[in-house]
Amino acid sequence: MSSDTPETIVIGILALQGAFAEHQTILSRLKLPSHPLTSLLVRTPQDLAQCSALIIPGGESTTIASVAARTGMLDLLKEFCQNVDKPVWGTCAGCILLAKEATGLKKGGQELFGGMGVGVKRNGYGTQLESFEVMLDVPALRDPERPFAGVFIRAPIIEHVNESAPTSISIHTEIVARVPPSCLPAELHDAAETSNKDYTVVAMRQGKKFVTTFHPELTKDDRLHEYFIKRCVLGLVAQK
Ligand SMILES: NC(=O)CC[C@H](N)C(=O)O
């Protein structure tokens, strides 16, 4: 291979449970002219070792964590997610797993992988009945005419954002999308409008880490996958 051929970027998708196939379908459609990329379903330590980046899908965070423990992946996933140099995106259950702290966990608690400076409340909007869809304004996509369909299924709520990642290095935090306070459970409306604005954050990037509390993989819209690859994996800055 000639030295100016860019290396293929391997994006891992954690495939222990949940909507991993949907992420893979979207990645297979994405073409970045200067950077060949491929995706890999990650189930073993050997799979993870091949990845430059990782996506943790939506599903059931308790199940994903317990399968990870059972298959000897838990410590490796913690190490990968807590390494500031590794790009990782967590969607919904993946957001819970990537969070530094979580409340509303199942009795007996559950393991988190950590890495993202947020505290989340699991099932923050309520039960399956409180699942909803809302169009989101995502300024980073620079296309105000085309909002992004936010699909929220037993989604977590971000209770607080720590401005720096859980490391000693200060890392830029970008709030990528918010829901209107009216989407929140009634008891949080006033707080979201006055004191705790973090409740409305539904997509956020911190250095190479990215979380969305909704499911872009369940839409036909590739733009947030492209955003993750450009900003977190390739480290490109926003284009005007
Ligand atoms: N759609 C989802 O990913 C739901 C997440 C689920 N409530 C959990 O705790 O893991």
Side-chain angles (χ1 to χ4, degrees):
M1 199 191 283
S2 83
S3 58
D4 50 10
T5 308
E7 237 180 86
T8 300
I9 303 165
V10 182
I11 312 284
I13 306 165
L14 190 63
L16 302 179
Q17 188 268 339
F20 49 85
E22 290 81 349
H23 274 294
Q24 194 169 40
T25 303
I26 294 195
L27 289 180
S28 69
R29 283 202 297 264
L30 270 189
K31 298 272 173 288
L32 299 178
S34 51
H35 296 87
L37 64 94
T38 184
S39 63
L40 178 72
L41 296 181
V42 172
R43 296 194 172 96
T44 65
Q46 293 74 15
D47 297 334
L48 186 63
Q50 294 181 54
C51 299
S52 330
L54 184 68
I55 295 178
I56 308 171
E60 191 54 54
S61 56
T62 45
T63 309
I64 297 175
S66 70
V67 179
R70 227 177 33 233
T71 54
M73 291 290 285
L74 186 61
D75 288 341
L76 292 169
L77 286 163
K78 286 185 182 178
E79 207 177 289
F80 196 100
C81 292
Q82 291 174 27
N83 180 339
V84 280
D85 292 325
K86 299 283 191 194
V88 186
W89 175 15
T91 60
C92 199
C95 165
I96 299 169
L97 289 162
L98 199 52
K100 193 182 161 204
E101 296 156 40
T103 59
L105 298 176
K106 270 198 181 155
K107 237 182 162 176
Q110 82 180 63
E111 294 277 0
L112 303 177
F113 305 156
M116 183 66 147
V118 287
V120 302
K121 181 174 184 203
R122 188 168 164 264
N123 297 335
Y125 297 86
T127 64
Q128 188 80 16
L129 292 177
E130 276 75 47
S131 296
F132 62 98
E133 195 169 325
V134 65
M135 294 311 284
L136 299 170
D137 177 28
V138 185
L141 299 178
R142 292 171 187 272
D143 194 354
E145 304 299 312
R146 257 181 89 206
F148 198 96
V151 178
F152 293 80
I153 305 171
R154 283 184 306 117
I157 283 183
I158 293 184
E159 293 190 298
H160 58 90
V161 171
N162 302 346
E163 281 304 323
S164 61
T167 71
S168 52
I169 309 161
S170 152
I171 287 180
H172 176 68
T173 297
E174 177 186 18
I175 303 301
V176 177
R178 290 180 182 273
V179 279
S182 60
C183 291
L184 292 170
E187 68 274 15
L188 299 182
H189 288 178
D190 292 348
E193 269 161 4
T194 52
S195 51
N196 192 347
K197 306 237 180 309
D198 293 347
Y199 290 147
T200 58
V201 174
V202 292
M204 173 186 147
R205 181 178 66 85
Q206 206 164 56
K208 296 184 178 186
K209 302 290 186 286
F210 183 39
V211 287
T212 51
T213 62
F214 52 98
H215 290 268
E217 75 278 20
L218 299 184
T219 70
K220 295 203 172 352
D221 194 333
D222 305 351
R223 290 177 297 160
L224 282 175
H225 287 75
E226 188 174 338
Y227 168 89
F228 171 65
I229 288 164
K230 286 189 170 161
R231 296 287 176 80
C232 302
V233 181
L234 302 174
L236 301 178
V237 290
Q239 305 274 306
K240 279 261 180 298

